[in-house]
Amino acid sequence: MSNYTLHYSSITKKIIMSLVGLFLITFLFLHLGINLTLLEKFRPGGSTDTFNIAAHFMGTNIVIKVFEVVLFGGFLIHILFGLILQIQNWMARPARYKIEGWSHTSPFSKFMIHTGALIFIFLVIHLLDFYFKAKVFGDIGSVTIDGKEYHDMGALVLAKFQSIGFVIFYVVLFIFLGFHLHHAFQSAFQTLGLNHSKYTPFIKGLSTIISIILPVGYAIIPLVIYFNS
Amino acid sequence: MDLTLKIWRQKDSKSKGGFKTYHVKDISPDASFLEMLDILNEELIHKGEMPVNFDNDCREGICGACSLYVNGRPHGPDSAITICQVHMRKFKDGSTVTIEPWRSRAFPVISDLMVDRSAFDRIIQAGGYISVSTGGVPDANEIPINKMKADEAMDAAACIGCGACVATCKNASAMLFVSAKVSQLALLPQGQIEAKRRVQKMVKQMDYEGFGNCTNTGACEAECPKEIKLTNIARMNREFIGAKLGAQKMKL
Ligand code: HEM
Ligand code: FES
């Protein structure tokens, strides 16, 4: 059996994965930006209006709608290729060592499939709770802002994060997302052949920073909601 | 020094192997690791048992034949060294040493600690060479070559093809080996002529042999006896992308 599944070579599969992965990271920043508008609620006299308007924009703007399809496709491709590559990697060593690998390099790179699987579980739950709830089940209240009616996504989020279990689940998963990203961001550059004596150290530093900023940014929101209500 | 050895014994590629325990006594700390195995084999022969098979040739770290996975590390407890150059003083007196063959689907065990690494040969045959039409010998300094590039090519060419990168990689990936062989030629003008075809053919053969995929973990670089760098893998990917996107459609 060869490593030629899906016709693409090993390197092509990894290149597609890394491009999609980088795209997913830009999405994570956009999503975080929108989420952070929720914090306005906790300023004196603040409301969830900005968040609701942003959520509405994300749900209706035509460019965003197109990118939504790209995004879902991206996740599917990333997961599919990740799985294929990982299964091939397991098959590449049918007999294991009695004393397993000594090398201590890059711990997070060894658990990409595991952190990835956790992110996937999170994604499913997250989509069911918010995205599908609003889009498919229509199981959501509405608010009127400046005479226009909007889905009250804000109220939905605030209600969800009243439960400590839910908050802990989210925060823990953001930590695992951080583990995934810590290796992922800089690895994508190496995969794309973008290695340089001057810039690679910077990219590696950036990878660490992203793997902290994104989880912390995301985790702040459920924590603030929980401890302010 | 007295040592307990746990050695993988396997009669041939078809049989099921297993670990066997041996005791060696009065080994000089100045003996090399392979000499210690020679001593064990002498004893086994005296007792009428089959000696332990292991690959070796030069015993001075240049041929790439020796290939033992010792206590969880290819080429044993030291860095940037082949197992033939490791001395017994690197081990503690009275300790247990576990010796295994390289483990990879692409490197099937031939016998005991000896594996079939002809997959590497087939990758080289796929394109790891330059075609030279014979004729007069060109002047050595005729082609200007950037000194930094020449040094990088030389560093990549230091690869002895032992397979430690595959052995240590959690995915049994051969990317470090293949990238060193792609790089040593891609960096030099003589190699660039066939570069686009070469990288595609070698990667294709690498995949065909059933090695795993690189996850940029870096264990290969850490364990390579010749300290081949991960930058070679990035260079190979760069070459590969360039060839796939930029080169004409070609039959590989
Ligand atoms: C927000 C979600 C995610 C982002 C931003 C992301 C990003 C990335 C990036 C940039 C890489 C590096 C690619 C490379 O080294 O070439 C990567 C690798 C990987 N991802 Fe993800 N990923 C996400 C979710 C997932 C999910 C849901 C799974 C699987 C169920 C997954 C599995 C993997 C695996 C197995 C690798 C390692 C692939 C390899 O190195 O060969 N990821 N990810
Ligand atoms: S026997 Fe030649 S490198 Fe070890």
Side-chain angles (χ1 to χ4, degrees):
Chain A
M1 241 287 305
S2 74
N3 185 348
Y4 226 61
T5 328
L6 266 177
H7 186 70
Y8 297 125
S9 74
S10 56
I11 298 182
T12 308
K13 275 181 283 205
K14 280 233 54 183
I15 286 166
I16 294 173
M17 247 197 117
S18 59
L19 288 173
V20 172
L22 290 178
F23 170 68
L24 295 181
I25 291 176
T26 58
F27 163 73
L28 287 181
F29 274 103
L30 177 71
H31 195 322
L32 176 61
I34 290 172
N35 289 3
L36 287 174
T37 61
L38 250 184
L39 293 182
E40 198 174 84
K41 166 95 170 106
F42 299 97
R43 286 202 326 204
S47 71
T48 56
D49 287 357
T50 323
F51 178 74
N52 276 328
I53 293 169
H56 176 77
F57 174 80
M58 295 302 284
T60 48
N61 182 281
I62 181 71
V63 179
I64 305 280
K65 287 283 233 196
V66 171
F67 266 96
E68 196 172 88
V69 178
V70 177
L71 183 67
F72 273 106
F75 268 114
L76 285 183
I77 289 174
H78 188 82
I79 294 167
L80 183 70
F81 279 28
L83 268 177
I84 292 174
L85 289 168
Q86 184 61 56
I87 290 169
Q88 287 177 333
N89 291 347
W90 281 323
M91 289 191 333
R93 176 162 295 138
R96 305 211 64 84
Y97 290 110
K98 185 182 168 78
I99 301 195
E100 279 295 341
W102 166 88
S103 172
H104 298 311
T105 52
S106 181
F108 295 133
S109 75
K110 295 175 183 152
F111 300 103
M112 293 305 272
I113 192 68
H114 312 92
T115 49
L118 288 173
I119 298 171
F120 177 70
I121 294 170
F122 170 82
L123 268 179
V124 172
I125 295 174
H126 178 66
L127 286 174
L128 284 176
D129 275 341
F130 294 107
Y131 184 84
F132 288 117
K133 200 157 191 140
K135 297 253 161 154
V136 184
F137 310 137
D139 181 10
I140 187 167
S142 61
V143 281
T144 313
I145 305 167
D146 294 335
K148 240 184 110 180
E149 208 177 317
Y150 293 91
H151 279 325
D152 198 356
M153 287 299 278
L156 178 63
V157 177
L158 294 181
K160 277 282 174 195
F161 290 125
Q162 299 307 315
S163 131
I164 183 72
F166 205 66
V167 172
I168 291 175
F169 171 66
Y170 265 62
V171 171
V172 168
L173 267 132
F174 292 146
I175 295 174
F176 283 111
L177 174 68
F179 292 166
H180 196 79
L181 296 180
H182 188 277
H183 177 69
F185 184 74
Q186 53 85 31
S187 170
F189 284 82
Q190 165 81 2
T191 299
L192 294 170
L194 302 174
N195 184 295
H196 193 283
S197 51
K198 284 185 192 151
Y199 308 124
T200 298
F202 171 74
I203 302 246
K204 290 199 169 160
L206 201 57
S207 204
T208 308
I209 292 172
I210 287 177
S211 72
I212 296 169
I213 287 189
L214 279 175
V216 168
Y218 275 111
I220 283 175
I221 295 150
L223 289 174
V224 166
I225 293 176
Y226 184 78
F227 288 108
N228 276 295
S229 28
Chain B
M1 295 174 75
D2 299 344
L3 294 164
T4 304
L5 306 176
K6 287 206 164 79
I7 300 181
W8 180 262
R9 299 303 310 260
Q10 182 173 338
K11 194 160 157 286
D12 52 40
S13 55
K14 302 249 160 24
S15 30
K16 200 170 163 297
F19 281 94
K20 244 189 119 171
T21 306
Y22 299 94
H23 298 279
V24 284
K25 289 200 166 37
D26 295 329
I27 301 288
S28 157
D30 295 330
S32 80
F33 194 82
L34 299 190
E35 280 165 349
M36 182 274 294
L37 287 180
D38 291 339
I39 294 168
L40 169 71
N41 275 346
E42 293 285 334
E43 285 171 17
L44 291 180
I45 291 167
H46 269 294
K47 282 195 258 175
E49 291 177 35
M50 279 294 282
V52 178
N53 276 319
F54 60 92
D55 262 323
N56 70 99
D57 189 13
C58 69
R59 297 204 175 192
E60 55 183 1
I62 56 173
C63 76
C66 59
S67 45
L68 301 175
Y69 195 86
V70 180
N71 289 346
R73 292 185 69 180
H75 295 303
D78 218 348
S79 293
I81 198 167
T82 53
I83 192 66
C84 60
Q85 296 233 285
V86 172
H87 290 92
M88 293 315 294
R89 52 181 172 268
K90 285 281 169 190
F91 295 86
K92 271 209 208 66
D93 190 16
S95 63
T96 301
V97 181
T98 306
I99 314 173
E100 306 175 62
W102 285 177
R103 293 289 190 198
S104 156
R105 180 176 48 164
F107 289 164
V109 173
I110 298 170
S111 156
D112 296 338
L113 302 170
M114 211 181 232
V115 297
D116 178 358
R117 283 169 286 177
S118 55
F120 272 10
D121 300 338
R122 289 187 291 275
I123 293 172
I124 296 294
Q125 283 157 13
Y129 51 80
I130 55 171
S131 312
V132 182
S133 309
T134 50
V137 180
D139 187 88
N141 296 317
E142 198 178 2
I143 308 168
I145 296 174
N146 175 331
K147 171 78 167 96
M148 271 168 82
K149 292 263 180 259
D151 287 347
E152 277 181 84
M154 196 64 193
D155 287 346
C159 169
I160 51 177
C162 63
C165 44
V166 176
T168 195
C169 173
K170 77 177 176 63
N171 314 318
S173 166
M175 289 280 277
L176 194 68
F177 166 77
V178 181
S179 69
K181 299 301 174 189
V182 164
S183 289
Q184 65 183 10
L185 297 172
L187 282 160
L188 299 177
Q190 295 90 336
Q192 279 154 11
I193 296 155
E194 292 162 295
K196 295 223 159 31
R197 173 181 293 273
R198 173 183 309 116
V199 67
Q200 296 185 69
K201 287 195 77 165
M202 289 177 78
V203 168
K204 186 174 177 179
Q205 188 66 33
M206 170 184 86
D207 288 346
Y208 181 77
E209 298 291 347
F211 292 104
N213 310 289
C214 178
T215 43
N216 303 325
T217 297
C220 53
E221 181 186 59
E223 290 296 311
C224 175
K226 296 298 157 184
E227 304 185 288
I228 303 293
K229 294 274 165 290
L230 282 184
T231 47
N232 289 302
I233 296 183
R235 182 180 299 104
M236 172 164 76
N237 288 9
R238 223 156 45 226
E239 290 277 320
F240 185 81
I241 296 170
K244 280 284 173 208
L245 294 179
Q248 288 187 333
K249 205 173 171 73
M250 56 178 88
K251 219 171 137 39
L252 296 173

